[in-house]
Amino acid sequence: GRKGNEILGFNKDAISGFYAEMDMARILVMVGEYNEALSILEFLLSHTGYISTELLKIDPFWDQIRDLVAYKTIISKFDNQVGMSGV
C-alpha cells in the first residue's frame, strides 16, 4: 500500500491518489494500525472527493473502529460536509 502511494499518491493525482489513500487506510485497519488509518481518513475527508461521513457510517468494513473516540471525533468534525458521493 505504501509503495502504491509513493508511485501514485494523492499529491500526484487527486483521483487515483484518493483511491490509493483509501486502500491504504483499509490496509492499515486490517493490520490494526487504527491511528494511522484514521489520520488518512481525516485527510481524505478534508478534501473534496468520493468519501463522506455517511458512507463511512454505513460501510461495515469500518465497524471495527467505529467505537474509537478518534473515529467518532473525525465523523463529528466532518458530519455536515457533503462529498462527491453526496452530490
Side-chain angles (χ1 to χ4, degrees):
R2 286 190 172 96
K3 187 65 173 175
N5 279 343
E6 286 176 28
I7 295 169
L8 191 60
F10 194 82
N11 59 346
K12 294 183 181 177
D13 184 332
I15 295 172
S16 297
F18 166 82
Y19 292 108
E21 293 285 346
M22 195 65 173
D23 289 343
M24 189 68 220
R26 288 178 177 271
I27 291 167
L28 290 165
V29 167
M30 286 187 263
V31 298
E33 297 290 333
Y34 301 143
N35 288 334
E36 194 173 346
L38 289 166
S39 178
I40 292 172
L41 289 178
E42 184 172 21
F43 169 78
L44 292 174
L45 285 166
S46 71
H47 293 80
T48 301
Y50 300 102
I51 187 174
S52 69
T53 57
E54 293 305 313
L55 286 175
L56 292 175
K57 288 179 193 177
I58 64 171
D59 186 343
F61 178 84
W62 306 106
D63 285 352
Q64 56 194 319
I65 64 170
R66 236 179 270 292
D67 291 332
L68 298 176
V69 173
Y71 174 87
K72 292 176 183 179
T73 301
I74 290 168
I75 293 298
S76 66
K77 179 178 178 181
F78 295 100
D79 218 10
N80 294 324
Q81 172 183 317
V82 176
M84 295 294 288
S85 60
V87 175

